[in-house]
Amino acid sequence: MGRRPCCAKEGLNKGAWTANEDQILKNYITIHGEGKWRDLPQKAGLKRCGKSCRLRWLNYLRPDIKRGNISIEEEELIIRLHKLLGNRWSLIAGRLPGRTDNEIKNYWNTNLSKRMQGQKRNISPNTPQVSSHNVIRTKAVKCTKAVNVDTLDPKSETLVNSPSETPSSSAINEDNTNNNSMDFLVDFDIDELLAFEYNPIPELYRTQNGGDKMGNNVADNGEYSHGTDFCQACEHLDLRGLESYLNLEDEWIN
DNA sequence: AATAGAACCAACCGCGATGAT
DNA sequence: GATCATCGCGGTTGGTTCTAT
């Protein structure tokens, strides 16, 4: 059984939106709010797929959309976030108020990716490259519970499990001995990562064997590479918290 | 001025995740 | 637990605009 199409395609408009369609969509959402995208076209009187309406609203019509050129500051932030998160455009866009994932994706593909490639070529072939494997692909997960920072026990360097203890918590401790492995991070509980929100990672959670609790690796030369679920945690950090990590970039990303 | 190629960007498509039943 | 509906994401496409020749 194949996937059901998102909507009946017959008789629907495709391609560029007209000013009239924009106005209808805008008016409808102003009155009824976002959501129920599938029903929206019919109720609003638009000959468009619900998905198309959603995209048009999110990428173009939303009142908080910032139009115009990407500033230098924004560009730098995009570059840093891309280093950290990879092609997770929605997450990157979440850190750039008024910018959409589509806009950032386009900007990256048309401007920054080429520039980045150019920079790579300028680097000596003998220079060790870590950036590629530092970009970790993860799946976003929703936060289902809050974890109090106090439940962390820095002395024993273990995570004190919350009442709803998960197997992944103990897995963290066991795998501290294997700080090169990203495998255990697959089972890392995102909720526990929230505990790190306002804590500088490198010092407090660095372990004796060179890794830290996030599964990140600290090499002898001080180079710092981060683990899969650190990126998941980043999804829940506010900009302030994130920037503090970004400011450490030179120490532990390069 | 005409044209070809490059660059840009809005929109589409397919898939995975999640929630409801 | 299975199935279906819905939403959101990232990759890709295609039309438009810009630039070089």
Side-chain angles (χ1 to χ4, degrees), chain A residues 3 14-15 17 51-52 55-56 102 106 110:
Chain A
R3 185 185 175 83
K14 284 182 75 173
W17 280 65
K51 216 172 178 178
S52 179
L55 207 64
R56 183 64 176 171
N102 209 30
N106 283 332
T110 55

PDB file of all heavy atoms in Angstrom, chain A residues 3 14-15 17 51-52 55-56 102 106 110, chain B residues 8-18:
ATOM      1  N   ARG A   3       1.906   5.337  -0.058  1.00  0.00           N
ATOM      2  CA  ARG A   3       1.551   6.455   0.810  1.00  0.00           C
ATOM      3  C   ARG A   3       0.406   7.240   0.184  1.00  0.00           C
ATOM      4  O   ARG A   3       0.404   7.538  -0.998  1.00  0.00           O
ATOM      5  CB  ARG A   3       2.771   7.367   0.981  1.00  0.00           C
ATOM      6  CG  ARG A   3       2.520   8.487   1.954  1.00  0.00           C
ATOM      7  CD  ARG A   3       3.722   9.411   1.970  1.00  0.00           C
ATOM      8  NE  ARG A   3       3.451  10.553   2.800  1.00  0.00           N
ATOM      9  CZ  ARG A   3       3.588  10.544   4.102  1.00  0.00           C
ATOM     10  NH1 ARG A   3       3.953   9.446   4.717  1.00  0.00           N
ATOM     11  NH2 ARG A   3       3.337  11.621   4.812  1.00  0.00           N
ATOM     12  N   LYS A  14      -0.893  25.251  -8.393  1.00  0.00           N
ATOM     13  CA  LYS A  14       0.497  24.973  -8.022  1.00  0.00           C
ATOM     14  C   LYS A  14       1.355  26.161  -8.461  1.00  0.00           C
ATOM     15  O   LYS A  14       0.903  27.030  -9.175  1.00  0.00           O
ATOM     16  CB  LYS A  14       0.995  23.695  -8.701  1.00  0.00           C
ATOM     17  CG  LYS A  14       0.447  22.439  -8.051  1.00  0.00           C
ATOM     18  CD  LYS A  14       0.993  21.198  -8.704  1.00  0.00           C
ATOM     19  CE  LYS A  14       2.446  20.951  -8.304  1.00  0.00           C
ATOM     20  NZ  LYS A  14       2.944  19.654  -8.805  1.00  0.00           N
ATOM     21  N   GLY A  15       2.575  26.158  -7.995  1.00  0.00           N
ATOM     22  CA  GLY A  15       3.483  27.221  -8.396  1.00  0.00           C
ATOM     23  C   GLY A  15       3.335  28.477  -7.563  1.00  0.00           C
ATOM     24  O   GLY A  15       2.834  28.435  -6.443  1.00  0.00           O
ATOM     25  N   TRP A  17       2.493  31.832  -5.705  1.00  0.00           N
ATOM     26  CA  TRP A  17       1.260  32.336  -5.098  1.00  0.00           C
ATOM     27  C   TRP A  17       0.941  33.739  -5.633  1.00  0.00           C
ATOM     28  O   TRP A  17       1.845  34.562  -5.816  1.00  0.00           O
ATOM     29  CB  TRP A  17       1.419  32.390  -3.587  1.00  0.00           C
ATOM     30  CG  TRP A  17       1.239  31.077  -2.921  1.00  0.00           C
ATOM     31  CD1 TRP A  17       2.034  29.971  -3.063  1.00  0.00           C
ATOM     32  CD2 TRP A  17       0.204  30.710  -2.017  1.00  0.00           C
ATOM     33  NE1 TRP A  17       1.559  28.933  -2.301  1.00  0.00           N
ATOM     34  CE2 TRP A  17       0.439  29.367  -1.642  1.00  0.00           C
ATOM     35  CE3 TRP A  17      -0.898  31.359  -1.478  1.00  0.00           C
ATOM     36  CZ2 TRP A  17      -0.399  28.683  -0.747  1.00  0.00           C
ATOM     37  CZ3 TRP A  17      -1.722  30.685  -0.592  1.00  0.00           C
ATOM     38  CH2 TRP A  17      -1.474  29.356  -0.246  1.00  0.00           C
ATOM     39  N   LYS A  51      -0.555  21.591   2.711  1.00  0.00           N
ATOM     40  CA  LYS A  51       0.885  21.647   2.900  1.00  0.00           C
ATOM     41  C   LYS A  51       1.474  22.915   2.279  1.00  0.00           C
ATOM     42  O   LYS A  51       2.370  23.544   2.830  1.00  0.00           O
ATOM     43  CB  LYS A  51       1.482  20.419   2.199  1.00  0.00           C
ATOM     44  CG  LYS A  51       2.646  19.806   2.870  1.00  0.00           C
ATOM     45  CD  LYS A  51       2.962  18.493   2.151  1.00  0.00           C
ATOM     46  CE  LYS A  51       4.160  17.858   2.771  1.00  0.00           C
ATOM     47  NZ  LYS A  51       4.468  16.570   2.136  1.00  0.00           N
ATOM     48  N   SER A  52       0.964  23.220   1.114  1.00  0.00           N
ATOM     49  CA  SER A  52       1.433  24.396   0.397  1.00  0.00           C
ATOM     50  C   SER A  52       1.079  25.671   1.180  1.00  0.00           C
ATOM     51  O   SER A  52       1.874  26.612   1.258  1.00  0.00           O
ATOM     52  CB  SER A  52       0.794  24.425  -0.994  1.00  0.00           C
ATOM     53  OG  SER A  52       1.208  25.546  -1.699  1.00  0.00           O
ATOM     54  N   LEU A  55       3.425  26.033   4.140  1.00  0.00           N
ATOM     55  CA  LEU A  55       4.749  26.480   3.714  1.00  0.00           C
ATOM     56  C   LEU A  55       4.746  27.969   3.367  1.00  0.00           C
ATOM     57  O   LEU A  55       5.661  28.712   3.725  1.00  0.00           O
ATOM     58  CB  LEU A  55       5.168  25.672   2.490  1.00  0.00           C
ATOM     59  CG  LEU A  55       6.662  25.509   2.298  1.00  0.00           C
ATOM     60  CD1 LEU A  55       7.239  24.707   3.448  1.00  0.00           C
ATOM     61  CD2 LEU A  55       6.945  24.808   0.988  1.00  0.00           C
ATOM     62  N   ARG A  56       3.693  28.374   2.669  1.00  0.00           N
ATOM     63  CA  ARG A  56       3.609  29.770   2.275  1.00  0.00           C
ATOM     64  C   ARG A  56       3.533  30.671   3.515  1.00  0.00           C
ATOM     65  O   ARG A  56       4.169  31.720   3.579  1.00  0.00           O
ATOM     66  CB  ARG A  56       2.369  29.973   1.394  1.00  0.00           C
ATOM     67  CG  ARG A  56       2.219  31.386   0.873  1.00  0.00           C
ATOM     68  CD  ARG A  56       3.346  31.773  -0.057  1.00  0.00           C
ATOM     69  NE  ARG A  56       3.177  33.100  -0.636  1.00  0.00           N
ATOM     70  CZ  ARG A  56       4.108  33.728  -1.340  1.00  0.00           C
ATOM     71  NH1 ARG A  56       5.262  33.148  -1.571  1.00  0.00           N
ATOM     72  NH2 ARG A  56       3.894  34.929  -1.814  1.00  0.00           N
ATOM     73  N   ASN A 102      13.955  27.563   5.344  1.00  0.00           N
ATOM     74  CA  ASN A 102      14.134  27.565   3.896  1.00  0.00           C
ATOM     75  C   ASN A 102      15.112  28.660   3.467  1.00  0.00           C
ATOM     76  O   ASN A 102      15.980  28.444   2.617  1.00  0.00           O
ATOM     77  CB  ASN A 102      12.773  27.790   3.225  1.00  0.00           C
ATOM     78  CG  ASN A 102      12.692  27.151   1.856  1.00  0.00           C
ATOM     79  OD1 ASN A 102      13.325  26.134   1.592  1.00  0.00           O
ATOM     80  ND2 ASN A 102      11.916  27.755   0.981  1.00  0.00           N
ATOM     81  N   ASN A 106      18.650  27.945   1.723  1.00  0.00           N
ATOM     82  CA  ASN A 106      19.001  28.532   0.428  1.00  0.00           C
ATOM     83  C   ASN A 106      20.273  29.368   0.521  1.00  0.00           C
ATOM     84  O   ASN A 106      21.141  29.293  -0.352  1.00  0.00           O
ATOM     85  CB  ASN A 106      17.855  29.413  -0.085  1.00  0.00           C
ATOM     86  CG  ASN A 106      16.716  28.600  -0.648  1.00  0.00           C
ATOM     87  OD1 ASN A 106      16.916  27.485  -1.135  1.00  0.00           O
ATOM     88  ND2 ASN A 106      15.513  29.131  -0.565  1.00  0.00           N
ATOM     89  N   THR A 110      23.627  28.497  -1.557  1.00  0.00           N
ATOM     90  CA  THR A 110      24.055  29.371  -2.644  1.00  0.00           C
ATOM     91  C   THR A 110      25.287  30.199  -2.289  1.00  0.00           C
ATOM     92  O   THR A 110      26.025  30.590  -3.172  1.00  0.00           O
ATOM     93  CB  THR A 110      22.934  30.330  -3.070  1.00  0.00           C
ATOM     94  OG1 THR A 110      22.497  31.051  -1.926  1.00  0.00           O
ATOM     95  CG2 THR A 110      21.787  29.579  -3.658  1.00  0.00           C
TER      96      THR A 110
ATOM     97  P    DC B   8      24.161  33.598  -5.419  1.00  0.00           P
ATOM     98  OP1  DC B   8      24.689  34.759  -4.678  1.00  0.00           O
ATOM     99  OP2  DC B   8      24.562  32.229  -5.052  1.00  0.00           O
ATOM    100  O5'  DC B   8      22.574  33.689  -5.390  1.00  0.00           O
ATOM    101  C5'  DC B   8      21.937  34.820  -5.992  1.00  0.00           C
ATOM    102  C4'  DC B   8      20.443  34.614  -5.998  1.00  0.00           C
ATOM    103  O4'  DC B   8      20.096  33.603  -6.964  1.00  0.00           O
ATOM    104  C3'  DC B   8      19.852  34.155  -4.664  1.00  0.00           C
ATOM    105  O3'  DC B   8      18.921  35.129  -4.242  1.00  0.00           O
ATOM    106  C2'  DC B   8      19.200  32.807  -4.978  1.00  0.00           C
ATOM    107  C1'  DC B   8      18.985  32.885  -6.479  1.00  0.00           C
ATOM    108  N1   DC B   8      18.966  31.591  -7.222  1.00  0.00           N
ATOM    109  C2   DC B   8      17.856  31.273  -8.002  1.00  0.00           C
ATOM    110  O2   DC B   8      16.908  32.065  -8.053  1.00  0.00           O
ATOM    111  N3   DC B   8      17.850  30.109  -8.698  1.00  0.00           N
ATOM    112  C4   DC B   8      18.898  29.288  -8.632  1.00  0.00           C
ATOM    113  N4   DC B   8      18.850  28.159  -9.334  1.00  0.00           N
ATOM    114  C5   DC B   8      20.048  29.601  -7.836  1.00  0.00           C
ATOM    115  C6   DC B   8      20.038  30.754  -7.155  1.00  0.00           C
ATOM    116  P    DC B   9      18.391  35.146  -2.776  1.00  0.00           P
ATOM    117  OP1  DC B   9      18.071  36.548  -2.419  1.00  0.00           O
ATOM    118  OP2  DC B   9      19.288  34.336  -1.934  1.00  0.00           O
ATOM    119  O5'  DC B   9      17.019  34.354  -2.927  1.00  0.00           O
ATOM    120  C5'  DC B   9      16.055  34.825  -3.860  1.00  0.00           C
ATOM    121  C4'  DC B   9      14.919  33.832  -3.969  1.00  0.00           C
ATOM    122  O4'  DC B   9      15.346  32.688  -4.748  1.00  0.00           O
ATOM    123  C3'  DC B   9      14.440  33.257  -2.634  1.00  0.00           C
ATOM    124  O3'  DC B   9      13.035  33.196  -2.687  1.00  0.00           O
ATOM    125  C2'  DC B   9      15.025  31.849  -2.623  1.00  0.00           C
ATOM    126  C1'  DC B   9      14.908  31.515  -4.099  1.00  0.00           C
ATOM    127  N1   DC B   9      15.745  30.392  -4.580  1.00  0.00           N
ATOM    128  C2   DC B   9      15.242  29.586  -5.610  1.00  0.00           C
ATOM    129  O2   DC B   9      14.130  29.838  -6.080  1.00  0.00           O
ATOM    130  N3   DC B   9      15.998  28.545  -6.057  1.00  0.00           N
ATOM    131  C4   DC B   9      17.201  28.323  -5.539  1.00  0.00           C
ATOM    132  N4   DC B   9      17.897  27.300  -6.008  1.00  0.00           N
ATOM    133  C5   DC B   9      17.722  29.145  -4.488  1.00  0.00           C
ATOM    134  C6   DC B   9      16.975  30.166  -4.052  1.00  0.00           C
ATOM    135  P    DA B  10      12.175  33.567  -1.438  1.00  0.00           P
ATOM    136  OP1  DA B  10      12.118  35.027  -1.298  1.00  0.00           O
ATOM    137  OP2  DA B  10      12.623  32.725  -0.312  1.00  0.00           O
ATOM    138  O5'  DA B  10      10.748  33.055  -1.942  1.00  0.00           O
ATOM    139  C5'  DA B  10      10.307  33.439  -3.233  1.00  0.00           C
ATOM    140  C4'  DA B  10       9.533  32.299  -3.859  1.00  0.00           C
ATOM    141  O4'  DA B  10      10.441  31.231  -4.240  1.00  0.00           O
ATOM    142  C3'  DA B  10       8.477  31.669  -2.957  1.00  0.00           C
ATOM    143  O3'  DA B  10       7.301  31.476  -3.711  1.00  0.00           O
ATOM    144  C2'  DA B  10       9.122  30.344  -2.519  1.00  0.00           C
ATOM    145  C1'  DA B  10      10.012  29.997  -3.696  1.00  0.00           C
ATOM    146  N9   DA B  10      11.225  29.241  -3.396  1.00  0.00           N
ATOM    147  C8   DA B  10      12.126  29.482  -2.402  1.00  0.00           C
ATOM    148  N7   DA B  10      13.148  28.645  -2.388  1.00  0.00           N
ATOM    149  C5   DA B  10      12.897  27.808  -3.453  1.00  0.00           C
ATOM    150  C6   DA B  10      13.599  26.711  -3.983  1.00  0.00           C
ATOM    151  N6   DA B  10      14.761  26.256  -3.480  1.00  0.00           N
ATOM    152  N1   DA B  10      13.079  26.084  -5.048  1.00  0.00           N
ATOM    153  C2   DA B  10      11.921  26.534  -5.555  1.00  0.00           C
ATOM    154  N3   DA B  10      11.169  27.562  -5.156  1.00  0.00           N
ATOM    155  C4   DA B  10      11.721  28.165  -4.083  1.00  0.00           C
ATOM    156  P    DA B  11       6.009  30.938  -3.032  1.00  0.00           P
ATOM    157  OP1  DA B  11       4.874  31.550  -3.752  1.00  0.00           O
ATOM    158  OP2  DA B  11       6.130  31.057  -1.564  1.00  0.00           O
ATOM    159  O5'  DA B  11       6.060  29.401  -3.407  1.00  0.00           O
ATOM    160  C5'  DA B  11       6.122  29.032  -4.782  1.00  0.00           C
ATOM    161  C4'  DA B  11       6.367  27.547  -4.893  1.00  0.00           C
ATOM    162  O4'  DA B  11       7.698  27.244  -4.454  1.00  0.00           O
ATOM    163  C3'  DA B  11       5.429  26.672  -4.062  1.00  0.00           C
ATOM    164  O3'  DA B  11       4.682  25.858  -4.957  1.00  0.00           O
ATOM    165  C2'  DA B  11       6.361  25.854  -3.155  1.00  0.00           C
ATOM    166  C1'  DA B  11       7.701  25.961  -3.864  1.00  0.00           C
ATOM    167  N9   DA B  11       8.882  25.881  -3.005  1.00  0.00           N
ATOM    168  C8   DA B  11       9.166  26.638  -1.912  1.00  0.00           C
ATOM    169  N7   DA B  11      10.312  26.339  -1.336  1.00  0.00           N
ATOM    170  C5   DA B  11      10.811  25.321  -2.110  1.00  0.00           C
ATOM    171  C6   DA B  11      11.992  24.555  -2.034  1.00  0.00           C
ATOM    172  N6   DA B  11      12.916  24.722  -1.087  1.00  0.00           N
ATOM    173  N1   DA B  11      12.180  23.601  -2.971  1.00  0.00           N
ATOM    174  C2   DA B  11      11.254  23.420  -3.914  1.00  0.00           C
ATOM    175  N3   DA B  11      10.106  24.075  -4.093  1.00  0.00           N
ATOM    176  C4   DA B  11       9.944  25.020  -3.150  1.00  0.00           C
ATOM    177  P    DC B  12       3.672  24.769  -4.452  1.00  0.00           P
ATOM    178  OP1  DC B  12       2.554  24.746  -5.409  1.00  0.00           O
ATOM    179  OP2  DC B  12       3.431  24.924  -3.012  1.00  0.00           O
ATOM    180  O5'  DC B  12       4.538  23.437  -4.679  1.00  0.00           O
ATOM    181  C5'  DC B  12       5.178  23.238  -5.933  1.00  0.00           C
ATOM    182  C4'  DC B  12       5.944  21.926  -5.920  1.00  0.00           C
ATOM    183  O4'  DC B  12       7.126  22.069  -5.103  1.00  0.00           O
ATOM    184  C3'  DC B  12       5.160  20.746  -5.357  1.00  0.00           C
ATOM    185  O3'  DC B  12       5.287  19.649  -6.247  1.00  0.00           O
ATOM    186  C2'  DC B  12       5.815  20.474  -4.003  1.00  0.00           C
ATOM    187  C1'  DC B  12       7.235  20.979  -4.203  1.00  0.00           C
ATOM    188  N1   DC B  12       7.908  21.495  -2.984  1.00  0.00           N
ATOM    189  C2   DC B  12       9.148  20.960  -2.602  1.00  0.00           C
ATOM    190  O2   DC B  12       9.648  20.059  -3.274  1.00  0.00           O
ATOM    191  N3   DC B  12       9.753  21.440  -1.488  1.00  0.00           N
ATOM    192  C4   DC B  12       9.170  22.418  -0.791  1.00  0.00           C
ATOM    193  N4   DC B  12       9.799  22.873   0.291  1.00  0.00           N
ATOM    194  C5   DC B  12       7.904  22.976  -1.169  1.00  0.00           C
ATOM    195  C6   DC B  12       7.322  22.489  -2.263  1.00  0.00           C
ATOM    196  P    DC B  13       4.442  18.361  -6.060  1.00  0.00           P
ATOM    197  OP1  DC B  13       4.146  17.821  -7.399  1.00  0.00           O
ATOM    198  OP2  DC B  13       3.359  18.625  -5.094  1.00  0.00           O
ATOM    199  O5'  DC B  13       5.493  17.406  -5.342  1.00  0.00           O
ATOM    200  C5'  DC B  13       6.769  17.198  -5.942  1.00  0.00           C
ATOM    201  C4'  DC B  13       7.578  16.243  -5.077  1.00  0.00           C
ATOM    202  O4'  DC B  13       8.150  16.972  -3.977  1.00  0.00           O
ATOM    203  C3'  DC B  13       6.748  15.109  -4.476  1.00  0.00           C
ATOM    204  O3'  DC B  13       7.354  13.877  -4.812  1.00  0.00           O
ATOM    205  C2'  DC B  13       6.760  15.367  -2.974  1.00  0.00           C
ATOM    206  C1'  DC B  13       7.985  16.243  -2.776  1.00  0.00           C
ATOM    207  N1   DC B  13       7.886  17.253  -1.690  1.00  0.00           N
ATOM    208  C2   DC B  13       8.912  17.345  -0.737  1.00  0.00           C
ATOM    209  O2   DC B  13       9.872  16.579  -0.820  1.00  0.00           O
ATOM    210  N3   DC B  13       8.821  18.276   0.236  1.00  0.00           N
ATOM    211  C4   DC B  13       7.757  19.095   0.284  1.00  0.00           C
ATOM    212  N4   DC B  13       7.709  20.002   1.257  1.00  0.00           N
ATOM    213  C5   DC B  13       6.710  19.015  -0.675  1.00  0.00           C
ATOM    214  C6   DC B  13       6.814  18.084  -1.643  1.00  0.00           C
ATOM    215  P    DG B  14       6.571  12.513  -4.550  1.00  0.00           P
ATOM    216  OP1  DG B  14       6.773  11.670  -5.736  1.00  0.00           O
ATOM    217  OP2  DG B  14       5.211  12.794  -4.054  1.00  0.00           O
ATOM    218  O5'  DG B  14       7.423  11.914  -3.344  1.00  0.00           O
ATOM    219  C5'  DG B  14       8.834  11.913  -3.441  1.00  0.00           C
ATOM    220  C4'  DG B  14       9.436  11.560  -2.100  1.00  0.00           C
ATOM    221  O4'  DG B  14       9.351  12.693  -1.205  1.00  0.00           O
ATOM    222  C3'  DG B  14       8.730  10.407  -1.382  1.00  0.00           C
ATOM    223  O3'  DG B  14       9.725   9.530  -0.885  1.00  0.00           O
ATOM    224  C2'  DG B  14       7.933  11.077  -0.269  1.00  0.00           C
ATOM    225  C1'  DG B  14       8.782  12.314   0.026  1.00  0.00           C
ATOM    226  N9   DG B  14       8.060  13.472   0.547  1.00  0.00           N
ATOM    227  C8   DG B  14       6.840  13.942   0.135  1.00  0.00           C
ATOM    228  N7   DG B  14       6.444  15.010   0.788  1.00  0.00           N
ATOM    229  C5   DG B  14       7.471  15.259   1.682  1.00  0.00           C
ATOM    230  C6   DG B  14       7.619  16.282   2.651  1.00  0.00           C
ATOM    231  O6   DG B  14       6.831  17.204   2.917  1.00  0.00           O
ATOM    232  N1   DG B  14       8.817  16.162   3.348  1.00  0.00           N
ATOM    233  C2   DG B  14       9.761  15.190   3.136  1.00  0.00           C
ATOM    234  N2   DG B  14      10.850  15.246   3.897  1.00  0.00           N
ATOM    235  N3   DG B  14       9.640  14.225   2.231  1.00  0.00           N
ATOM    236  C4   DG B  14       8.474  14.324   1.550  1.00  0.00           C
ATOM    237  P    DC B  15       9.342   8.186  -0.200  1.00  0.00           P
ATOM    238  OP1  DC B  15      10.255   7.159  -0.756  1.00  0.00           O
ATOM    239  OP2  DC B  15       7.874   7.979  -0.217  1.00  0.00           O
ATOM    240  O5'  DC B  15       9.771   8.470   1.305  1.00  0.00           O
ATOM    241  C5'  DC B  15      11.067   9.029   1.552  1.00  0.00           C
ATOM    242  C4'  DC B  15      11.145   9.467   2.987  1.00  0.00           C
ATOM    243  O4'  DC B  15      10.373  10.679   3.151  1.00  0.00           O
ATOM    244  C3'  DC B  15      10.587   8.442   3.981  1.00  0.00           C
ATOM    245  O3'  DC B  15      11.603   8.097   4.903  1.00  0.00           O
ATOM    246  C2'  DC B  15       9.408   9.148   4.644  1.00  0.00           C
ATOM    247  C1'  DC B  15       9.688  10.614   4.386  1.00  0.00           C
ATOM    248  N1   DC B  15       8.488  11.476   4.248  1.00  0.00           N
ATOM    249  C2   DC B  15       8.348  12.613   5.056  1.00  0.00           C
ATOM    250  O2   DC B  15       9.240  12.879   5.867  1.00  0.00           O
ATOM    251  N3   DC B  15       7.241  13.389   4.924  1.00  0.00           N
ATOM    252  C4   DC B  15       6.312  13.074   4.033  1.00  0.00           C
ATOM    253  N4   DC B  15       5.244  13.862   3.932  1.00  0.00           N
ATOM    254  C5   DC B  15       6.433  11.911   3.203  1.00  0.00           C
ATOM    255  C6   DC B  15       7.526  11.149   3.330  1.00  0.00           C
ATOM    256  P    DG B  16      11.369   6.944   5.926  1.00  0.00           P
ATOM    257  OP1  DG B  16      12.604   6.136   5.925  1.00  0.00           O
ATOM    258  OP2  DG B  16      10.048   6.307   5.706  1.00  0.00           O
ATOM    259  O5'  DG B  16      11.302   7.746   7.298  1.00  0.00           O
ATOM    260  C5'  DG B  16      12.287   8.736   7.562  1.00  0.00           C
ATOM    261  C4'  DG B  16      11.910   9.503   8.811  1.00  0.00           C
ATOM    262  O4'  DG B  16      10.806  10.394   8.509  1.00  0.00           O
ATOM    263  C3'  DG B  16      11.450   8.623   9.974  1.00  0.00           C
ATOM    264  O3'  DG B  16      12.022   9.124  11.172  1.00  0.00           O
ATOM    265  C2'  DG B  16       9.931   8.739   9.940  1.00  0.00           C
ATOM    266  C1'  DG B  16       9.729  10.153   9.394  1.00  0.00           C
ATOM    267  N9   DG B  16       8.500  10.372   8.638  1.00  0.00           N
ATOM    268  C8   DG B  16       7.993   9.577   7.638  1.00  0.00           C
ATOM    269  N7   DG B  16       6.873  10.033   7.141  1.00  0.00           N
ATOM    270  C5   DG B  16       6.636  11.194   7.849  1.00  0.00           C
ATOM    271  C6   DG B  16       5.576  12.123   7.747  1.00  0.00           C
ATOM    272  O6   DG B  16       4.596  12.113   6.988  1.00  0.00           O
ATOM    273  N1   DG B  16       5.712  13.166   8.658  1.00  0.00           N
ATOM    274  C2   DG B  16       6.754  13.293   9.543  1.00  0.00           C
ATOM    275  N2   DG B  16       6.716  14.374  10.337  1.00  0.00           N
ATOM    276  N3   DG B  16       7.762  12.442   9.650  1.00  0.00           N
ATOM    277  C4   DG B  16       7.634  11.424   8.774  1.00  0.00           C
ATOM    278  P    DA B  17      11.719   8.420  12.555  1.00  0.00           P
ATOM    279  OP1  DA B  17      13.001   8.462  13.292  1.00  0.00           O
ATOM    280  OP2  DA B  17      11.006   7.136  12.344  1.00  0.00           O
ATOM    281  O5'  DA B  17      10.711   9.447  13.235  1.00  0.00           O
ATOM    282  C5'  DA B  17      11.073  10.828  13.275  1.00  0.00           C
ATOM    283  C4'  DA B  17      10.026  11.598  14.055  1.00  0.00           C
ATOM    284  O4'  DA B  17       8.874  11.819  13.214  1.00  0.00           O
ATOM    285  C3'  DA B  17       9.515  10.891  15.315  1.00  0.00           C
ATOM    286  O3'  DA B  17       9.410  11.858  16.345  1.00  0.00           O
ATOM    287  C2'  DA B  17       8.162  10.321  14.890  1.00  0.00           C
ATOM    288  C1'  DA B  17       7.703  11.325  13.827  1.00  0.00           C
ATOM    289  N9   DA B  17       6.877  10.755  12.760  1.00  0.00           N
ATOM    290  C8   DA B  17       7.126   9.621  12.047  1.00  0.00           C
ATOM    291  N7   DA B  17       6.218   9.363  11.127  1.00  0.00           N
ATOM    292  C5   DA B  17       5.322  10.407  11.239  1.00  0.00           C
ATOM    293  C6   DA B  17       4.139  10.727  10.547  1.00  0.00           C
ATOM    294  N6   DA B  17       3.641   9.980   9.556  1.00  0.00           N
ATOM    295  N1   DA B  17       3.484  11.846  10.910  1.00  0.00           N
ATOM    296  C2   DA B  17       3.986  12.597  11.906  1.00  0.00           C
ATOM    297  N3   DA B  17       5.089  12.403  12.634  1.00  0.00           N
ATOM    298  C4   DA B  17       5.726  11.274  12.243  1.00  0.00           C
ATOM    299  P    DT B  18       9.024  11.415  17.811  1.00  0.00           P
ATOM    300  OP1  DT B  18       9.760  12.300  18.717  1.00  0.00           O
ATOM    301  OP2  DT B  18       9.150   9.953  17.930  1.00  0.00           O
ATOM    302  O5'  DT B  18       7.477  11.796  17.890  1.00  0.00           O
ATOM    303  C5'  DT B  18       7.070  13.087  17.424  1.00  0.00           C
ATOM    304  C4'  DT B  18       5.563  13.168  17.440  1.00  0.00           C
ATOM    305  O4'  DT B  18       5.029  12.552  16.246  1.00  0.00           O
ATOM    306  C3'  DT B  18       4.906  12.462  18.627  1.00  0.00           C
ATOM    307  O3'  DT B  18       4.057  13.383  19.283  1.00  0.00           O
ATOM    308  C2'  DT B  18       4.134  11.307  17.997  1.00  0.00           C
ATOM    309  C1'  DT B  18       3.869  11.840  16.596  1.00  0.00           C
ATOM    310  N1   DT B  18       3.655  10.818  15.538  1.00  0.00           N
ATOM    311  C2   DT B  18       2.579  10.983  14.677  1.00  0.00           C
ATOM    312  O2   DT B  18       1.809  11.924  14.748  1.00  0.00           O
ATOM    313  N3   DT B  18       2.449  10.003  13.719  1.00  0.00           N
ATOM    314  C4   DT B  18       3.259   8.901  13.556  1.00  0.00           C
ATOM    315  O4   DT B  18       3.045   8.099  12.658  1.00  0.00           O
ATOM    316  C5   DT B  18       4.362   8.784  14.482  1.00  0.00           C
ATOM    317  C7   DT B  18       5.304   7.631  14.377  1.00  0.00           C
ATOM    318  C6   DT B  18       4.498   9.743  15.416  1.00  0.00           C
TER     319       DT B  18
END
